[in-house]
Amino acid sequence: MVTLGCARNEVDSEELAGRLAAGGYRLVEDAEGADAVLVNTCGFIESAKKDSVDAILAATDSGARVVAVGCMAERYGSELAGALPEATVLGFDDYAAIGERLDDVITGRPLVPHDPRDRRTLLPISPVDRSAARTAVDAPAIPGHGWVQRRRLASGPSAALKLASGCDRRCAFCAIPAFRGSFVSRPPAEVLGEAQWLAAQGVAELVLVSENSTSYGKDLGDLRSLERLLPQLAAVEGIARVRVAYLQPAELRPGLLEVIAATDGVAPYFDLSFQHSSPGLLRRMRRFGGTDDFLALVERARALAPTAGFRTNVILGFPGETEDDVAELERFLTEGRLDAVGVFGYSDEEGTEAMGMAGKLDQAEIDARVRRITDLVEELTAQRAEDRLGERVEVLLTEDLSAEEGPGVWVGHAAHQDPEADGTTTVTGVPDGAVAGAIVAAEVVGTEGVDLVAASLVPVVRA
């Protein structure tokens, strides 16, 4: 199995792996000698689609049957199958019977690739009707819902846990709602059950993912669902830390902000999807807020949790973006002192409002702005890491480096660092007997870019 894209795709791959294992399939590490290669594709932006196509083509060299699933397969269906006859293309509705579909592929039974549909039209809007649709026999499949089985494909102490699928927002640059569907929350009991299962598999840190975690519960009739769920997840035996990813700034209610900032066992970590900070450009993007609103939000969070972590993504070169807009974004990034920032250049996406907008920038100008902001971000995030010198951090240990670096040296990540994207913390003086997934209190004594070096303060405090 090959997985591309985001943590949500990783969860889908583990669910597919569980279903395949239950159907008698054995997962292997190498495509050579395999009967089939399953490629879970990403269809978010142009570069991700290219990576997905490259992965499919690379899999064909193994001699195994190749099956494409995931967002790109769902989004393009028969079109992708026509362009890549070497692969069988399956959609989300095939996930529940993935073992049977793979049987078909291996035995040579022909499968007709689906015609893409706008998945926002497949579910009723009302919470009551949505609840009924989830249990209907002919309801469309929603990846990550109705969890029955999952097989971990990674061995580390952190794991993603899906809160919801789909999105009801209508950002002008984003096609995700069309192929992922409308926003549908998983019932809290289902999320808790999977958290308990993950803990039994040795997971110590849960990373809650969705297209928009701040919307969790709105289709269940309770916008405070996540506020209630977080302390319950943090209390699951074996779980040392819970962090929430994919928060929308305009929907981050004071109550949820307080729970994230001040709940024991919940990382004071704010993964906020700002995308830009120029108010006028954000309106063109069909988003809300601006530099002053966003700075106020960051300061409110820091007032509750002074050492909180902040990450975001920003888009450069959106149609109509001016030099003043870029300067406004620079002001926000400079004053906001965020810990991690992903910088992306705008690209047209089929089916989005932005594709038909006037004011398109030349690719050379987009690339120049991306380089400009990337250089600024690298400088600012390194400075932010230096701000943490002398700070006490709680580091979740992931790998013992004692054999290479000397006794008691581990690498891990502090509460302000996402395990996949925000740098690492190397800890010295870790007591004997420490294990991956334990949390160690340490003091930051050095930095290397966004990475920290820290000295252990006390023995293992939680495992």
Side-chain angles (χ1 to χ4, degrees), residues 182-245:
S182 297
F183 187 88
V184 183
S185 302
R186 297 179 70 190
E190 188 176 299
V191 177
L192 276 168
E194 189 165 340
Q196 291 162 356
W197 179 83
L198 286 167
Q201 303 299 308
V203 171
E205 178 180 43
L206 302 174
V207 183
L208 306 183
V209 300
S210 70
E211 274 74 24
N212 176 9
S213 296
T214 36
S215 283
Y216 180 72
K218 72 175 185 180
D219 55 326
L220 303 176
D222 182 7
L223 269 173
R224 299 190 62 189
S225 292
L226 188 53
E227 297 169 38
R228 304 183 214 282
L229 181 60
L230 282 171
Q232 297 177 64
L233 289 169
V236 170
E237 185 176 355
I239 296 301
R241 179 186 288 161
V242 180
R243 73 173 66 239
V244 187

Side-chain angles (χ1 to χ4, degrees), residues 251-272:
E251 297 180 24
L252 184 55
R253 301 168 300 283
L256 180 56
L257 186 152
E258 291 169 10
V259 168
I260 294 174
T263 302
D264 186 39
V266 176
Y269 174 81
F270 295 89
D271 176 10
L272 293 157

Side-chain angles (χ1 to χ4, degrees), residues 351-398:
T352 63
E353 181 183 357
M355 190 170 182
M357 283 184 173
K360 297 286 178 64
L361 278 68
D362 292 339
Q363 189 60 50
E365 179 61 28
I366 295 174
D367 293 342
R369 293 182 181 185
V370 167
R371 289 193 298 271
R372 169 178 162 188
I373 297 301
T374 297
D375 289 344
L376 175 65
V377 161
E378 289 178 353
E379 178 183 352
L380 292 173
T381 53
Q383 290 174 0
R384 177 61 185 144
E386 292 176 359
D387 290 343
R388 294 188 180 275
L389 287 169
E391 186 176 295
R392 178 189 170 107
V393 291
E394 287 199 343
V395 183
L396 189 139
L397 304 179
T398 56

Side-chain angles (χ1 to χ4, degrees), residues 28-29 37 48 87 98 107 118 139 220 274 367 370 376 433-434 437:
V28 294
E29 295 294 328
V37 178
I98 189 65
T107 57
D118 186 336
L220 303 176
F274 290 122
D367 293 342
V370 167
L376 175 65

